[in-house]
Amino acid sequence: MKKILSLMMIIYFWVAVSATAFCQELVVYSARNEHLIRPLFEAYTKETGVKIDYITDKAAVLLQRLKAEGQATPADLLITVDAGNLWHAAQEGILQPVASDILVKNIPSHLRDPQNRWFGLSIRARTIVYNPRKVAPEELSTYEDLAGPAWKDRLVLRTSKKVYNQSLVAMLITEHGDAQTEKIIKGWVSNLAAPPFSSDTKVLEAIAAGQGDVGIVNTYYVGRLLAKKPDLPLAIFWPNQAANGVHVNISGAGITTHSKHHKAAKMLLEWLSSPQAQNLYADVNLEYPVNPQVSPHSMIASWGKFKQNPINLDNAGKYQAEAIQLMDRAGYR
Ligand code: FE
């Protein structure tokens, strides 16, 4: 009888502990579009029973909202793209540190906050794209080289107003310092074949149309465009392979400072970095998994492997304001 009683006690406690650990509802604020996150959350709910409510909006809007809501926020997790945005959220005090061996194991250190407030969940490679009818890959080498005289009137860029380029230039500042980076950006500007475009896709279309020969874009835009128009003359080049490597950025997440469900939010974050979730997370947008154990989608795997720049992405945030000023001085609009 005693044995049965203690067994019942054990079962009771197990159920109680499970209930607090698993039977939760989480709220996510996401700057990633609904179609990218919904399948993921559905899979998580199916696996764990945890229901996830979410809203989607622009990163800046979500940041403002989290600040305004303060302690009253219903949000447990913030998902957004670009390390610059995640860095700002951390600076604003919106994200709290998370101690997790699983996250440390699944995510390379340059793709997460040194203070553990944000974590990369997918990698976005911002690389060189060229028109193979006009450029031989042997002519290409580095981002810096695109400032040289060989590329006069041949370079196409997206506007400097986009955070992707601000992060790229911030990382160049980290590597080369202000003066050297300004020289590079001035070189890019003097090589432009057309005024900067409003989107990566427009950069690609201009290169395919022969308006320029070479540009810098995130690879998933190449994947998307080639899926629709496979015959476009566009090819990917991995620059800086003999130097520091390709500029990568992330989409990522952090637990909000005022989350009332830290433990459940941490479990979701850990799950997002796990092999079973990584393909679901990265493949929908043709990005690279952040977890090195996971292979990318077959289409992007076909572009080959590359060395990525290992400098910590918190520099994209630290030097963002400097990057914006520098691009302005260099005449990069
Ligand atoms: Fe994008």
Side-chain angles (χ1 to χ4, degrees):
M1 189 64 189
K2 250 187 179 173
K3 261 188 185 166
I4 292 171
L5 254 176
S6 59
L7 192 67
M8 279 176 68
M9 290 289 277
I10 288 168
I11 291 169
Y12 172 80
F13 277 115
W14 185 79
V15 169
V17 167
S18 308
T20 50
F22 297 106
C23 292
Q24 296 264 17
E25 251 188 57
L26 288 170
V27 176
V28 176
Y29 284 6
S30 173
R32 295 205 100 184
N33 292 337
E34 183 178 1
H35 75 277
L36 301 177
I37 53 167
R38 199 190 334 105
L40 200 69
F41 293 162
E42 282 170 1
Y44 189 69
T45 302
K46 211 173 151 195
E47 200 176 308
T48 63
V50 177
K51 196 172 163 278
I52 300 172
D53 280 330
Y54 55 85
I55 57 164
T56 60
D57 213 322
K58 292 210 165 83
V61 175
L62 295 175
L63 245 65
Q64 273 316 107
R65 183 166 172 163
L66 279 161
K67 264 174 76 178
E69 287 171 344
Q71 291 196 3
T73 188
D76 298 297
L77 204 71
L78 171 71
I79 295 181
T80 185
V81 298
D82 204 284
N85 289 334
L86 289 159
W87 184 88
H88 272 294
Q91 283 302 105
E92 299 278 5
I94 284 164
L95 303 176
Q96 61 170 295
V98 182
S100 162
D101 294 341
I102 294 173
L103 292 172
V104 165
K105 183 178 135 264
N106 286 347
I107 305 168
S109 66
H110 63 295
L111 306 175
R112 50 183 158 83
D113 176 26
Q115 294 176 54
N116 296 316
R117 293 162 301 179
W118 47 263
F119 299 85
L121 293 172
S122 65
I123 295 171
R124 339 178 96 205
R126 195 157 186 77
T127 196
I128 293 180
V129 166
Y130 64 99
N131 184 329
R133 291 180 192 154
K134 301 183 130 185
V135 179
E138 301 78 51
E139 296 172 63
L140 292 160
S141 59
T142 62
Y143 300 103
E144 292 83 350
D145 178 68
L146 294 179
W151 301 103
K152 184 86 188 141
D153 300 328
R154 299 173 77 191
L155 180 63
V156 192
L157 292 175
R158 184 180 187 161
T159 168
S160 65
K161 308 288 177 290
K162 183 69 188 178
V163 69
Y164 302 166
N165 284 332
Q166 295 167 2
S167 289
L168 169 65
V169 173
M171 293 307 279
L172 287 173
I173 293 173
T174 312
E175 231 179 299
H176 301 298
D178 248 8
Q180 186 59 27
T181 304
E182 192 167 335
K183 260 194 210 162
I184 296 163
I185 306 306
K186 276 184 177 154
W188 285 0
V189 171
S190 71
N191 285 343
L192 285 178
F197 289 93
S198 60
S199 76
D200 279 22
T201 303
K202 285 186 177 144
V203 167
L204 291 169
E205 285 166 347
I207 295 168
Q211 201 180 347
D213 298 344
V214 63
I216 300 172
V217 297
N218 287 358
T219 55
Y220 56 89
Y221 290 105
V222 183
R224 275 188 218 167
L225 192 59
L226 287 179
K228 276 189 261 172
K229 301 174 185 171
D231 298 330
L232 287 182
L234 291 170
I236 282 175
F237 180 81
W238 301 122
N240 297 58
Q241 294 302 283
N244 257 337
V246 171
H247 169 66
V248 290
N249 208 316
I250 50 172
S251 80
I255 298 178
T256 62
T257 303
H258 299 296
S259 166
K260 281 100 199 159
H261 312 106
H262 180 86
K263 197 171 163 189
K266 181 173 149 181
M267 282 174 67
L268 172 59
L269 194 52
E270 289 174 342
W271 181 81
L272 289 169
S273 73
S274 71
Q276 78 254 43
Q278 275 284 287
N279 278 121
L280 265 179
Y281 187 90
D283 290 1
V284 277
N285 196 34
L286 297 173
E287 295 171 353
Y288 291 85
V290 81
N291 186 329
Q293 293 168 276
V294 181
S295 305
H297 184 281
S298 57
M299 180 186 197
I300 59 174
S302 74
W303 297 333
K305 293 199 164 138
F306 60 91
K307 175 174 149 189
Q308 48 178 289
N309 193 318
I311 299 175
N312 194 291
L313 275 177
D314 73 331
N315 291 294
K318 274 189 204 158
Y319 293 110
Q320 189 188 70
E322 220 167 303
I324 292 168
Q325 285 169 14
L326 187 151
M327 289 189 283
D328 189 50
R329 283 199 305 275
Y332 181 5
R333 301 291 166 242

